[in-house]
Structures are given as C-alpha cells and as structure tokens.
Amino acid sequence: MKITVPGVRHIPTRTAAVAALALAGLLAAAAPAATAAPVTSQRPVRSAPAPALEASALAAPDIPLANVKAHLTQLSSIAAANGGNRAHGRAGYLASVNYVKGKLDAAGFTTTVQQFTSSGATGYNLIADWPGGDPNQVLMSGAHLDSVTSGAGMNDNGSGSSAVLETALAVSRAQLQPTKHLRFAWWGAEELGLIGSKYYVNNLPSAERSKVSGYLNFDMIGSPNAGYFVYDDDPTIEQTFKDYYAGLGISTEIETEGDGRSDHAPFKNVGIPVGGLFSGADYIKTAAQAQKWGGTSGQAFDRCYHSSCDSLTNINDTALDRNSDAVAYAVWTLSAGSTIPSGEVFETLTDVSIPDNGAAVTSSLTVSGRTGNAPTALKVGVDIKHTWRGDLVVDLVAPDGTAYRLKNSSSGDSADNVIATYTVNASSEVANGAWKLRVQDVGAQDTGYIDSWRLTF
Ligand code: TRP
Ligand code: ZN
Ligand code: CA
C-alpha cells in the first residue's frame, strides 16, 4: 500500500536512496572509461562458454542402456498386469501409451494422442513434439508400441519404443535446439497391418506432409541373436546409420526382410525420405553373419518373434545398447543441432528514461547469427536505475510481439533499482530478431531509466 501524501511517502527511505545514488556516482566516477566510451546502440559480447558444455551441447549423447531397459521393464510389467500382452484393443496397449506419454509430458514435450478405429477397437498413436526448430523441416522418429496378442512384445517392439523414448528424454536433458523440428511417434496397431502409421500419414494434410523431411523407424532393435541391418532407403539417412556403425567398427547389412513390413512404409509411399534399423526377426542367421556379428548361425535372429517368449529375457543388451545410441546419433545428426555455442550474450548499453507514472518505454536489442529458437532458459539480465522499484512493471517482448512478464509492480517495494537476472522459457520464439525490454512506471513521484540489459543464449 502506497502512502499517498505527496512529498512525504519516501521520507523514511530518502536517506538510503541518496546514499545509494551517491555510491552509484562514485562507482561511475571510478570507471571513467565506461562512461567515456562511445555509446553504441548495442554491443554484442561473446562470452567464453565452458568447452565441456559446448561439446556436450553438440555431440549426440550415449544413451544409457539402463534407462532403456527400465522402460522395457515397465512395459513388461504393464503386459503382466493386463493379460500378458500390449496388443491393439487390449488394456495393456493404452497403459503403454500412458506410460510413455507420462514420461514425455514431464520432460517438456507437447504430446498428442490420436485415436482411430481398427477391427472394432479404438487404437491410439502417441505423437510428441519437442518445442522449437524449423516447423518447415520436421524430423520424425517412431516405433510401434503395440505387441501381438501372444506375448509382451519386448523385442517386437518394446525395444524400439524404449529406445525412441529414451532418445526423446535425452533431447530434453540436453535441451537440444536443433535446426529442424523434432517429432517422435509411437504407433498403434502396427501388428494388424501398419494401421496407426497409415492413419497418421493419411490424415496429415498435404501441406504438413511436405514439411516432414524424414522419418526414422525402429522396429525390433534388440533381437537376441542380433544382426545389424540398415534400411536401404534415403541415402542420407542410410549413410548416417552406416557412419555410426563404422565408428564402432561394426559392419552392417542392408535390411532385406521386406520393405513394407513396418511403419516407415506409409511415409515412403507418399514420398517422405525414410530410414531405420532392424536387428532381425524370423530369418535365419547365416554362418557369415555369425562370423562378423557373433551369435548363433542356423538360428533365427529372434526365435521368439511373435511368440509368448518375447519377454524381458528375449533381448540382446549389446544390440539394444548400440542401436539406442544409433537412434540418438541419427536424431542429433539429421536435425543438425545448432553449432552456435550457448552462452552468447547480446547487450545494449543505451539509456532509456522511464517517464514517471507514464507510458511504457522500450529498449530494443537485435539478436542475429543464431539458428532456430531461443532457449528454454533464456537469461534476461536487467539493470534499471530507479528510486522506487515497486513502481516498475517489466516485460521481455519477443521479436513476434509475445510478452513475457519479468516483474510486476508492488507499491510497497521502496528499494532502489531493478538489477536482476530473470530466466524465461523462450523456446517457442525464433532467436533472431529485435527483442525488447518494456518498462512502465505505474506510480507517481519516483523516476529512473533503463541503464542496460542483456540476453544470454
Ligand atoms: N513388426 C514387424 C512385423 O511384425 C517386424 C519386422 C519383420 C520388420 N520384418 C521386418 C520390421 C523388416 C522392419 C523391417 O512384421
Ligand atoms: Zn514389430
Ligand atoms: Ca514513479
């Protein structure tokens, strides 16, 4: 509550205010270079980020196998609690969707459950968008989440579902800001004939289809007698996976069990570049394959394919580990994560006076040379000199006009100055452009000015 007697309300604090101003004056006098320097409208400053941070922001992470297996264990428990499977139209399927969705929601994804009907039962696709990136270049990664009715579907396709989930969670942990927009999908009713993925593609307006620059499919990537197969489709995607395995010294083969057998097919059929990984199903491993990959020749890659024994023990941990890392490598590489380090500072030193109890004023700051969107934790450093900061309402205004409230007025806050760093989730804003600090003084008598402010990306 403000004391309304004019000329009186600040008396108790004037002494302190004067002292603070005097101190500020001394500091200014002690730093003549700063005041004498030509006041440029803006001085971009590139700080030196810690190399370790920079490297981790750019390199694809090692996906922890333990995390992938923890998701598999949860899916196994879901099957056990729901009649032993996670099949389309059964309770275990929707429970699987809810498990994956819960993890993604908590990690900051925008999730959508798309319903469809097949064989008289409701099916569900789960779609998760990572905020930011170029909406005209969407990189999708997906896996079918349904099992057959005969078992829990741990290799087919808890393996792909869990690896894609953990990769999405790694995107969130890294707060990745790729050039492309990332979308992840878990398909329903694949086992009934690619029903969910067909439904998604058929219902994607053609304008949206043309924005999908690639679809990566992961169906069966932890086969117990594993092979390392790369889909022979889009050359760039294929080469990306081959590069990853070359780095491990593992030779790959082209996936030949049939192009139409998983959820990439509907994408491929409408001209979207596709690729993916596969560790083998019911085909028999040859002697030559056992030679280079290990395992047992004369035996199926997955003897439990579509059987009740496709349980938690039907997983080759080494294959699942390598293939999960390959998912992340492809997502990071193909979405071309920003090569601009975090920690870049844009600052303006131009003073803007704030009229007493008057209209809002703005100070503009042009950000350039960044790619993609602003970070989820954009730091806004504010230095406003004022003799009663409770008068001030402060907003950050993004280039598109969206305002983010940094500070409300609070008439009782008689302290001087607003010198603070605020954190704003600006991940839905394009980084480059004219950002503004908007300040309004909503209380009579005390005045001040914007001294400087900065954005740290
Ligand atoms: N889910 C597929 C199926 O049930 C598994 C599969 C078999 C597969 N062959 C494939 C997946 C080839 C990708 C590529 O048929
Ligand atoms: Zn499958
Ligand atoms: Ca005022």
Side-chain angles (χ1 to χ4, degrees), residues 301-360:
F301 294 101
D302 182 356
R303 288 193 290 179
C304 292
Y305 176 60
H306 286 188
S307 310
S308 60
C309 61
D310 187 7
S311 63
L312 272 182
T313 56
N314 192 44
I315 292 287
N316 178 325
D317 282 0
T318 303
L320 183 62
D321 190 12
R322 290 169 174 166
N323 286 331
S324 299
D325 292 345
V327 175
Y329 179 82
V331 167
W332 256 250
T333 306
L334 293 168
S335 65
S338 168
T339 54
I340 296 173
S342 59
E344 189 177 14
V345 181
F346 295 84
E347 180 177 52
T348 178
L349 304 175
T350 306
D351 291 358
V352 175
S353 67
I354 306 162
D356 186 27
N357 198 17

Side-chain angles (χ1 to χ4, degrees), residues 107 158 193 228 235 238 247 271 317 346 366 407:
Y228 294 91
E238 183 180 339
D317 282 0
F346 295 84
T366 299
K407 178 196 173 300

Side-chain angles (χ1 to χ4, degrees), residues 196-256:
S197 54
K198 281 180 185 167
Y199 185 87
Y200 177 82
V201 172
N202 287 341
N203 286 281
L204 200 58
S206 60
E208 292 303 313
R209 263 185 209 176
S210 61
K211 295 176 183 172
V212 181
S213 60
Y215 172 71
L216 312 179
N217 193 61
F218 303 99
D219 184 0
M220 303 182 73
I221 60 169
S223 306
N225 190 26
Y228 294 91
F229 298 100
V230 176
Y231 297 6
D232 181 23
D233 272 293
D234 178 71
T236 305
I237 299 173
E238 183 180 339
Q239 193 57 49
T240 303
F241 286 122
K242 287 179 171 172
D243 287 350
Y244 174 76
Y245 284 104
L248 294 183
I250 295 167
S251 59
T252 59
E253 286 186 17
I254 294 308
E255 184 278 304
T256 53

Side-chain angles (χ1 to χ4, degrees), residues 2 9 355-357 386 388 391-392 441-447:
K2 195 160 270 181
R9 67 168 201 184
D356 186 27
N357 198 17
H386 199 276
W388 189 291
D391 286 356
L392 299 178
D441 181 325
V442 297
Q445 190 175 349
D446 285 75
T447 60

Side-chain angles (χ1 to χ4, degrees), residues 144 156 190-191 219-220 231 255 257-258 261-262 278 281 305-306:
H144 75 84
D156 184 13
E190 186 271 356
E191 299 290 3
D219 184 0
M220 303 182 73
Y231 297 6
E255 184 278 304
E257 279 199 42
R261 288 185 67 176
S262 193
F278 179 52
Y305 176 60
H306 286 188

Side-chain angles (χ1 to χ4, degrees), residues 169-213:
L169 298 179
V171 164
S172 169
R173 285 193 292 271
Q175 289 293 300
L176 190 66
Q177 291 166 48
T179 301
K180 291 183 185 168
H181 176 78
L182 293 177
R183 183 176 300 154
F184 299 89
W186 289 262
W187 308 116
E190 186 271 356
E191 299 290 3
L192 278 65
L194 321 180
I195 305 298
S197 54
K198 281 180 185 167
Y199 185 87
Y200 177 82
V201 172
N202 287 341
N203 286 281
L204 200 58
S206 60
E208 292 303 313
R209 263 185 209 176
S210 61
K211 295 176 183 172
V212 181
S213 60

Side-chain angles (χ1 to χ4, degrees), residues 114-206:
Q114 181 182 45
Q115 286 195 19
F116 57 88
T117 304
S118 182
S119 306
T122 303
Y124 309 88
N125 292 325
L126 172 63
I127 310 295
D129 284 275
W130 179 240
D134 183 349
N136 294 312
Q137 299 181 73
V138 179
L139 179 65
M140 286 190 72
S141 305
H144 75 84
L145 186 55
D146 64 314
S147 71
V148 292
T149 53
S150 47
M154 290 293 96
N155 186 35
D156 184 13
N157 183 32
S159 61
S161 295
S162 298
V164 173
L165 172 58
E166 191 55 28
T167 297
L169 298 179
V171 164
S172 169
R173 285 193 292 271
Q175 289 293 300
L176 190 66
Q177 291 166 48
T179 301
K180 291 183 185 168
H181 176 78
L182 293 177
R183 183 176 300 154
F184 299 89
W186 289 262
W187 308 116
E190 186 271 356
E191 299 290 3
L192 278 65
L194 321 180
I195 305 298
S197 54
K198 281 180 185 167
Y199 185 87
Y200 177 82
V201 172
N202 287 341
N203 286 281
L204 200 58
S206 60

